[in-house]
Each structure stands twice: as structure tokens, then as C-alpha cells.
Amino acid sequence: MFEPSELFDLTQTGHAALFDGCQYAWEALARIAPYLAAGGRPELLNRCEGTAYIGERVSIGAGTVLEDGVMIVGPAIIGRNCQIRHNAYIRQNVIIGDDCVVGNATEVKNSILFNKAQAPHFNYVGDSILGYKAHLGAGVKISNFKVFPGNIMVEIDGEPFDTGLRKFGALLGDHCEVGCNAVLSPGSILGRDSVIYPNVTWRGILPEQMIVKNKAEQAVVPRRARGE
């Protein structure tokens, strides 16, 4: 499940060329910057509701709305009919498809969002790929940098494998759902239609159509009477 076609419907992005020849889907992350550098003339067809900062190397499709306080550093390509909500921060080397949502106080850098992907509330998306209709609940953070030295490793056939990336967040296959306040550790890969429950801290590979539940035990105890 590491090949691009095993995780993503490549017809649901206008930038499938990023994945040409990739054995592993994460290889596309290193291609974003040169791909954008080779792109055409920036074009802004969006509408702003309030004041937004838009960098020089940014293209935005028709029907996309930027709410007040949005900052897009660029280079970036944002598709059609997207919602870029209040105080969203889109940094360098970002590609966002059509009908996507980047929400209030969400930060995105060096990432690809396929069509209809959503990061709508207080999310961090760094060095990651969100597949078609992938959705992040409020407060989901995708960690892209490990504390210890060295590149991000993933496990292949039970053995650690060097991705060659010092920064690598997560790959979310099509239709993935990640619940509120979950944390995805560096190098996480979620198969198509998989689900992470709220408040889970996840690391590693999750096969498609699987669910990760948070079964932390809760204790219910009597409340002590307050002193007068």
C-alpha cells in the first residue's frame, strides 16, 4: 500500500504528474517545490471576503473564497470552489485540489490535498498528502519531524526502511477520517477508508478499511463535598 495508486485515485487531482514513476507515494513530497517552480504564470480568480495576504507565486481557481485573515505565502496552487477560512496559513510549496476546505487557524506546508480533502479546524498539515475526500477533525495535528536525528523510517515487511526524508508527516488514503485532537506521528500511512478515533496518537501503517479506537479506561468517582 505504498504505491500512489494503492492510496489515491489519481484522477482526483490535476497534478497526477507529481506521482509519475514514484515507487513510494511519499516520493512526491520532494517533487512539490520543483513542480511549482516550473509552473506557469500565477493567476488569481478567487474572491476575498475581507483582507487576505497572497504571495507573488500563487494561483487560485475560480469560485474559491478566501476569508479575512488568510495568509498564503506560496508558491502554491489552489483549485476551484475551495473554502480557505479565517486565519488559515498556507506556507511554501502547497498544492490544493478542487472543492477543498482549509479552515480556521489551519496551517499547511509542503503538502498535497486531493480534491474535496478537508482540514477545517485548527489543524497542522506538514509534508503530507491527503487523498480524495480525506477529512481531519478539529485539532488534528500531523507531526512531520521526529525528535531524534536521522530520516523518517517506515516499516516494510517487518524491517525499517529509510524514506530519505528528514521531514515526512503522513499519507492519508482516499476517504480517510481522523477524529478530533488525534495526532499522527511522522511517517504515518493510512490506507483507504480507514478511521482514527478522536484523541488517538497513531504511529505506523494502518491497512485500508480499518478503525483505530481509543480504549483508554475512564474512572467515575464521587465528588468530594466542598468546604463551606
Side-chain angles (χ1 to χ4, degrees), residues 54-217:
I54 304 174
E56 294 181 358
R57 294 184 293 163
V58 176
S59 295
I60 306 177
T64 289
V65 176
L66 275 56
E67 294 184 359
D68 192 57
V70 167
M71 184 171 189
I72 306 173
V73 177
I77 296 174
I78 300 173
R80 298 166 296 179
N81 302 316
C82 296
Q83 298 177 41
I84 312 299
R85 294 175 178 165
H86 178 63
N87 285 347
Y89 181 26
I90 297 174
R91 292 167 55 190
Q92 295 87 350
N93 304 321
V94 172
I95 296 174
I96 296 172
D98 297 336
D99 302 295
C100 291
V101 177
V102 177
N104 177 39
T106 290
E107 179 178 346
V108 185
K109 58 89 63 174
N110 196 61
S111 293
I112 304 166
L113 276 62
F114 276 63
N115 296 342
K116 299 189 177 182
Q118 297 190 351
H121 316 280
F122 307 104
N123 306 121
Y124 177 70
V125 181
D127 301 278
S128 298
I129 303 174
L130 275 57
Y132 174 61
K133 288 190 174 181
H135 175 263
L136 304 182
V140 171
K141 303 297 187 291
I142 301 179
S143 177
N144 64 333
F145 187 76
K146 66 180 184 178
V147 174
F148 301 106
N151 293 335
I152 306 300
M153 311 290 285
V154 299
E155 188 175 286
I156 298 180
D157 297 327
E159 298 293 332
F161 181 85
D162 187 345
T163 65
L165 300 173
R166 186 70 181 102
K167 292 187 176 182
F168 170 23
L171 307 178
L172 276 63
D174 298 337
H175 300 278
C176 279
E177 292 278 351
V178 182
C180 296
N181 293 322
V183 175
L184 303 182
S185 298
S188 294
I189 299 176
L190 311 183
R192 281 187 167 119
D193 299 292
S194 59
V195 177
I196 301 285
Y197 267 31
N199 297 312
V200 168
T201 297
W202 175 259
R203 179 178 184 272
I205 314 302
L206 181 64
E208 64 181 29
Q209 297 185 324
M210 299 299 287
I211 299 175
V212 178
K213 297 184 177 183
N214 188 346
K215 300 186 70 174
E217 184 178 356

